Amino acid sequence: MVNETPQVMTIAGTDSSGGAGMTADLNTFAAHGIYGANVVVSITAQNTQGVRQVQMITPDMVMAQLKAVADDLAIRAVKTGMLGDADTVHTVAKALQQFDFGPLILDPVMVAKGGAQLLSDAAVEAVRTALMPLATLITPNIPEAEVLTGMTIQTPDEIMAAADKLHAFGTQNILIKGGHGDAPVVMDYVRLTSGDHFWMKTTRFDTQRTHGTGDTISAAITAQLGLGLDLKSAIIAGKAYVDATIRDGILVGHGYGPLNHLAVVTAQNQPEVYDDI
Ligand SMILES: Nc1ncnc2c1ncn2[C@@H]1O[C@H](COP(=O)(O)OP(=O)(O)O)[C@@H](O)[C@H]1O
Ligand SMILES: Cc1ncc(COP(=O)(O)O)c(N)n1
């Protein structure tokens, strides 16, 4: 008799070029040695240069997939990626209240690296009101945090104020990712529900091969939670993993290239962790 294999799930869109979305999530789960279920909410015709076309899956079919997983698997943690429109957000929120999939990691995917909009304006409000109160952790990048809070975010103080505002919308823990911009260091900020907060600092790797970085860090955190790590350790481990996948790069496509999900994490990928900067 073997013990049941740890299982996690992604609810997301597909990327035909294989670098972002659900594919990045599943590759990340596999790299962590954890089993991944996958509920498809949208199909994108996409490559490293941009998103060409999007086809949403009907809410009925999304719910059927979620129910099929709930009826059979033992999901320990779940993440959401591209959700596309308000109907899908509400369908997913309903299922998350109906079924126990463990902690929710909400990656509020809004814009692809090439600039395509992946979440409608109406859906932003649905994310804020229907999904954020259900989430254990939300992982916006700076532009996404600006849209969700209505704030302009440039300084560390503004990042911390935005995290407080996101917490006030009902999400327990906040990770604001600092990949955007061109400063020589990348600073990600974490505000935990306990009131504990910290910054994770790594050097910026000078590359355009960043297709799927947001998907990858949120999937890695989900995997680590499924494997039993506490949230703070899971966030730091997720950051180290995404750093490894960026630095130990692969060459695919002609635009924002995908990451190396088979990269091995070493001591060099560990972020410096500070309470204050
Ligand atoms: N050029 C880079 N060098 C090192 N780390 C990066 C780089 N770009 C992004 N990251 C890291 O990848 C993760 C995703 O960040 P970000 O690009 O801001 O999110 P998103 O993909 O959602 O836009 C963060 O932990 C960020 O610090
Ligand atoms: C289907 C899908 N989901 C998410 C992203 C965001 O990717 P990134 O992590 O590069 O912002 C994407 N480009 N496509």
Side-chain angles (χ1 to χ4, degrees), residues 13-14 20-21 44 46 82 109 111-113 118 210-215:
T14 67
T44 72
Q46 177 177 180
M82 173 186 173
V109 175
V111 179
K113 285 276 146 53
L118 299 177
T210 54
H211 191 68
T213 48
D215 307 293

PDB file of all heavy atoms in Angstrom, residues 13-14 20-21 44 46 82 109 111-113 118 210-215, ligand 2:
ATOM      1  N   GLY A  13      -5.593  29.399 -18.092  1.00  0.00           N
ATOM      2  CA  GLY A  13      -5.701  29.328 -19.541  1.00  0.00           C
ATOM      3  C   GLY A  13      -4.506  28.600 -20.123  1.00  0.00           C
ATOM      4  O   GLY A  13      -3.449  28.510 -19.488  1.00  0.00           O
ATOM      5  N   THR A  14      -4.679  28.092 -21.338  1.00  0.00           N
ATOM      6  CA  THR A  14      -3.549  27.417 -21.999  1.00  0.00           C
ATOM      7  C   THR A  14      -2.742  28.427 -22.812  1.00  0.00           C
ATOM      8  O   THR A  14      -3.250  29.481 -23.201  1.00  0.00           O
ATOM      9  CB  THR A  14      -4.043  26.323 -22.967  1.00  0.00           C
ATOM     10  OG1 THR A  14      -4.730  26.968 -24.062  1.00  0.00           O
ATOM     11  CG2 THR A  14      -4.982  25.346 -22.285  1.00  0.00           C
ATOM     12  N   ALA A  20       3.732  29.862 -20.774  1.00  0.00           N
ATOM     13  CA  ALA A  20       3.041  30.523 -19.669  1.00  0.00           C
ATOM     14  C   ALA A  20       1.783  29.737 -19.311  1.00  0.00           C
ATOM     15  O   ALA A  20       1.574  28.610 -19.753  1.00  0.00           O
ATOM     16  CB  ALA A  20       2.694  31.964 -20.052  1.00  0.00           C
ATOM     17  N   GLY A  21       0.930  30.349 -18.504  1.00  0.00           N
ATOM     18  CA  GLY A  21      -0.367  29.767 -18.185  1.00  0.00           C
ATOM     19  C   GLY A  21      -0.261  28.377 -17.598  1.00  0.00           C
ATOM     20  O   GLY A  21       0.672  28.044 -16.861  1.00  0.00           O
ATOM     21  N   THR A  44      -5.649  29.994 -25.420  1.00  0.00           N
ATOM     22  CA  THR A  44      -5.074  31.124 -26.150  1.00  0.00           C
ATOM     23  C   THR A  44      -4.213  30.627 -27.303  1.00  0.00           C
ATOM     24  O   THR A  44      -3.496  29.644 -27.172  1.00  0.00           O
ATOM     25  CB  THR A  44      -4.200  32.039 -25.257  1.00  0.00           C
ATOM     26  OG1 THR A  44      -2.976  31.376 -24.926  1.00  0.00           O
ATOM     27  CG2 THR A  44      -4.919  32.472 -23.993  1.00  0.00           C
ATOM     28  N   GLN A  46      -1.193  31.709 -28.824  1.00  0.00           N
ATOM     29  CA  GLN A  46      -0.186  32.620 -28.271  1.00  0.00           C
ATOM     30  C   GLN A  46       1.206  32.084 -28.571  1.00  0.00           C
ATOM     31  O   GLN A  46       1.413  30.873 -28.671  1.00  0.00           O
ATOM     32  CB  GLN A  46      -0.422  32.658 -26.736  1.00  0.00           C
ATOM     33  CG  GLN A  46       0.538  33.475 -25.949  1.00  0.00           C
ATOM     34  CD  GLN A  46       0.221  33.534 -24.445  1.00  0.00           C
ATOM     35  OE1 GLN A  46       0.954  34.186 -23.732  1.00  0.00           O
ATOM     36  NE2 GLN A  46      -0.834  32.905 -23.965  1.00  0.00           N
ATOM     37  N   MET A  82      -4.908  32.966 -15.498  1.00  0.00           N
ATOM     38  CA  MET A  82      -5.786  33.754 -16.368  1.00  0.00           C
ATOM     39  C   MET A  82      -7.229  33.279 -16.236  1.00  0.00           C
ATOM     40  O   MET A  82      -7.535  32.124 -16.507  1.00  0.00           O
ATOM     41  CB  MET A  82      -5.347  33.581 -17.827  1.00  0.00           C
ATOM     42  CG  MET A  82      -6.297  34.235 -18.801  1.00  0.00           C
ATOM     43  SD  MET A  82      -5.859  33.878 -20.508  1.00  0.00           S
ATOM     44  CE  MET A  82      -7.283  34.625 -21.330  1.00  0.00           C
ATOM     45  N   VAL A 109      -3.873  37.446 -13.029  1.00  0.00           N
ATOM     46  CA  VAL A 109      -3.288  37.678 -14.364  1.00  0.00           C
ATOM     47  C   VAL A 109      -4.149  38.669 -15.147  1.00  0.00           C
ATOM     48  O   VAL A 109      -5.342  38.435 -15.343  1.00  0.00           O
ATOM     49  CB  VAL A 109      -3.212  36.345 -15.148  1.00  0.00           C
ATOM     50  CG1 VAL A 109      -2.732  36.592 -16.571  1.00  0.00           C
ATOM     51  CG2 VAL A 109      -2.319  35.348 -14.435  1.00  0.00           C
ATOM     52  N   VAL A 111      -2.429  41.124 -17.811  1.00  0.00           N
ATOM     53  CA  VAL A 111      -1.814  41.499 -19.086  1.00  0.00           C
ATOM     54  C   VAL A 111      -0.653  40.546 -19.372  1.00  0.00           C
ATOM     55  O   VAL A 111       0.150  40.269 -18.481  1.00  0.00           O
ATOM     56  CB  VAL A 111      -1.285  42.960 -19.026  1.00  0.00           C
ATOM     57  CG1 VAL A 111      -0.630  43.352 -20.337  1.00  0.00           C
ATOM     58  CG2 VAL A 111      -2.416  43.920 -18.705  1.00  0.00           C
ATOM     59  N   ALA A 112      -0.562  40.047 -20.612  1.00  0.00           N
ATOM     60  CA  ALA A 112       0.556  39.173 -20.985  1.00  0.00           C
ATOM     61  C   ALA A 112       1.814  40.007 -21.194  1.00  0.00           C
ATOM     62  O   ALA A 112       1.735  41.223 -21.377  1.00  0.00           O
ATOM     63  CB  ALA A 112       0.220  38.404 -22.257  1.00  0.00           C
ATOM     64  N   LYS A 113       2.972  39.353 -21.172  1.00  0.00           N
ATOM     65  CA  LYS A 113       4.241  40.089 -21.325  1.00  0.00           C
ATOM     66  C   LYS A 113       4.268  40.905 -22.615  1.00  0.00           C
ATOM     67  O   LYS A 113       4.796  42.000 -22.646  1.00  0.00           O
ATOM     68  CB  LYS A 113       5.435  39.124 -21.295  1.00  0.00           C
ATOM     69  CG  LYS A 113       5.764  38.607 -19.899  1.00  0.00           C
ATOM     70  CD  LYS A 113       6.652  39.555 -19.096  1.00  0.00           C
ATOM     71  CE  LYS A 113       6.344  39.550 -17.600  1.00  0.00           C
ATOM     72  NZ  LYS A 113       6.340  38.271 -16.949  1.00  0.00           N
ATOM     73  N   LEU A 118      -5.618  40.148 -20.643  1.00  0.00           N
ATOM     74  CA  LEU A 118      -6.099  38.787 -20.385  1.00  0.00           C
ATOM     75  C   LEU A 118      -7.240  38.754 -19.371  1.00  0.00           C
ATOM     76  O   LEU A 118      -7.720  37.687 -19.026  1.00  0.00           O
ATOM     77  CB  LEU A 118      -4.935  37.901 -19.891  1.00  0.00           C
ATOM     78  CG  LEU A 118      -3.763  37.728 -20.873  1.00  0.00           C
ATOM     79  CD1 LEU A 118      -2.644  36.907 -20.252  1.00  0.00           C
ATOM     80  CD2 LEU A 118      -4.236  37.076 -22.173  1.00  0.00           C
ATOM     81  N   THR A 210      11.243  36.048 -20.025  1.00  0.00           N
ATOM     82  CA  THR A 210      10.483  36.098 -18.766  1.00  0.00           C
ATOM     83  C   THR A 210       9.018  35.715 -18.989  1.00  0.00           C
ATOM     84  O   THR A 210       8.151  36.140 -18.238  1.00  0.00           O
ATOM     85  CB  THR A 210      10.556  37.520 -18.163  1.00  0.00           C
ATOM     86  OG1 THR A 210      10.120  38.459 -19.165  1.00  0.00           O
ATOM     87  CG2 THR A 210      11.952  37.869 -17.689  1.00  0.00           C
ATOM     88  N   HIS A 211       8.764  34.942 -20.023  1.00  0.00           N
ATOM     89  CA  HIS A 211       7.389  34.518 -20.332  1.00  0.00           C
ATOM     90  C   HIS A 211       6.961  33.483 -19.283  1.00  0.00           C
ATOM     91  O   HIS A 211       7.556  32.416 -19.202  1.00  0.00           O
ATOM     92  CB  HIS A 211       7.401  33.887 -21.727  1.00  0.00           C
ATOM     93  CG  HIS A 211       6.054  33.617 -22.322  1.00  0.00           C
ATOM     94  ND1 HIS A 211       5.189  34.608 -22.709  1.00  0.00           N
ATOM     95  CD2 HIS A 211       5.443  32.457 -22.613  1.00  0.00           C
ATOM     96  CE1 HIS A 211       4.098  34.067 -23.222  1.00  0.00           C
ATOM     97  NE2 HIS A 211       4.219  32.767 -23.174  1.00  0.00           N
ATOM     98  N   GLY A 212       5.982  33.837 -18.463  1.00  0.00           N
ATOM     99  CA  GLY A 212       5.503  32.872 -17.476  1.00  0.00           C
ATOM    100  C   GLY A 212       6.135  32.981 -16.105  1.00  0.00           C
ATOM    101  O   GLY A 212       5.945  32.100 -15.263  1.00  0.00           O
ATOM    102  N   THR A 213       6.862  34.088 -15.822  1.00  0.00           N
ATOM    103  CA  THR A 213       7.478  34.202 -14.486  1.00  0.00           C
ATOM    104  C   THR A 213       6.423  34.261 -13.379  1.00  0.00           C
ATOM    105  O   THR A 213       6.582  33.641 -12.323  1.00  0.00           O
ATOM    106  CB  THR A 213       8.368  35.466 -14.370  1.00  0.00           C
ATOM    107  OG1 THR A 213       7.640  36.582 -14.877  1.00  0.00           O
ATOM    108  CG2 THR A 213       9.668  35.315 -15.128  1.00  0.00           C
ATOM    109  N   GLY A 214       5.352  35.022 -13.627  1.00  0.00           N
ATOM    110  CA  GLY A 214       4.308  35.154 -12.609  1.00  0.00           C
ATOM    111  C   GLY A 214       3.589  33.833 -12.369  1.00  0.00           C
ATOM    112  O   GLY A 214       3.326  33.436 -11.227  1.00  0.00           O
ATOM    113  N   ASP A 215       3.281  33.138 -13.456  1.00  0.00           N
ATOM    114  CA  ASP A 215       2.638  31.824 -13.333  1.00  0.00           C
ATOM    115  C   ASP A 215       3.540  30.895 -12.530  1.00  0.00           C
ATOM    116  O   ASP A 215       3.080  30.133 -11.673  1.00  0.00           O
ATOM    117  CB  ASP A 215       2.415  31.195 -14.713  1.00  0.00           C
ATOM    118  CG  ASP A 215       1.687  32.115 -15.659  1.00  0.00           C
ATOM    119  OD1 ASP A 215       0.511  32.395 -15.405  1.00  0.00           O
ATOM    120  OD2 ASP A 215       2.287  32.571 -16.641  1.00  0.00           O
TER     121      ASP A 215
HETATM  122  C1  LIG B   2      -2.747  31.676 -20.733  1.00  0.00           C
HETATM  123  C2  LIG B   2      -1.828  32.655 -20.082  1.00  0.00           C
HETATM  124  N1  LIG B   2      -1.845  32.807 -18.752  1.00  0.00           N
HETATM  125  C3  LIG B   2      -1.028  33.693 -18.162  1.00  0.00           C
HETATM  126  C4  LIG B   2      -0.151  34.467 -18.901  1.00  0.00           C
HETATM  127  C5  LIG B   2       0.733  35.485 -18.214  1.00  0.00           C
HETATM  128  O1  LIG B   2       2.090  35.194 -18.332  1.00  0.00           O
HETATM  129  P1  LIG B   2       3.216  35.983 -17.495  1.00  0.00           P
HETATM  130  O2  LIG B   2       3.504  35.170 -16.270  1.00  0.00           O
HETATM  131  O3  LIG B   2       4.395  36.050 -18.426  1.00  0.00           O
HETATM  132  O4  LIG B   2       2.692  37.333 -17.132  1.00  0.00           O
HETATM  133  C6  LIG B   2      -0.128  34.274 -20.295  1.00  0.00           C
HETATM  134  N2  LIG B   2       0.717  34.980 -21.080  1.00  0.00           N
HETATM  135  N3  LIG B   2      -0.983  33.360 -20.869  1.00  0.00           N
END
